[in-house]
Amino acid sequence: MTSDVENGPSHGRIIKLLTDLGPYFRRLQSTDSSYFFDCLEICVDDNKEPEEREFLGWWVVVSNNGESCLYERFNGRYNLTGDWVAETISAQNLKQLDNSFALFIESLQTLMEVEMQLQLNAVEAVCSEV
């Protein structure tokens, strides 16, 4: 058995697995040891033209140290310039974001454990406000 097999899947294999997970993975915003995911869950104003719409949602950065993965979740607005901006989300909208995130993180955790033999853990929050 080679050391590559013992150390888990190759970077290319990890990228393929994360891409297959669904529309959440953003390859261009990821690195060899850090993976970026996001979800545009709630359209702020669906009366506007599609290119003028902003969304509320979440984004996650997963850091892989080779032995385990840590993830950090953020909530906010995806603005017209294509950037995520952290902001406080209303309780009703937060519930919807939490539900979509729970489905995503369950799938990601299963993928990490089964296919990559890595544990996925949340980063402990230092402060609860955005």
Side-chain angles (χ1 to χ4, degrees), residues 18-90:
L18 296 177
T19 300
D20 290 348
L21 185 62
Y24 305 106
F25 180 57
R26 304 292 177 241
R27 183 176 184 172
L28 296 177
Q29 293 169 281
S30 299
T31 67
D32 288 349
S33 61
S34 177
Y35 313 110
F36 186 86
F37 303 85
D38 66 3
C39 176
L40 309 177
E41 182 67 25
I42 302 166
C43 182
V44 174
D45 187 355
D46 59 1
N47 292 325
K48 291 185 176 183
E49 294 297 318
E51 60 275 358
E52 296 175 358
R53 294 179 187 168
E54 293 185 324
F55 294 85
L56 299 179
W58 51 260
W59 69 98
V60 176
V61 177
V62 177
S63 300
N64 179 354
N65 68 10
E67 297 175 11
S68 67
C69 291
L70 292 175
Y71 73 87
E72 190 169 10
R73 173 187 168 180
F74 304 90
N75 296 319
R77 179 182 301 260
Y78 189 77
N79 65 24
L80 293 178
T81 60
D83 297 315
W84 280 104
V85 179
E87 70 177 51
T88 303
I89 307 294
S90 72

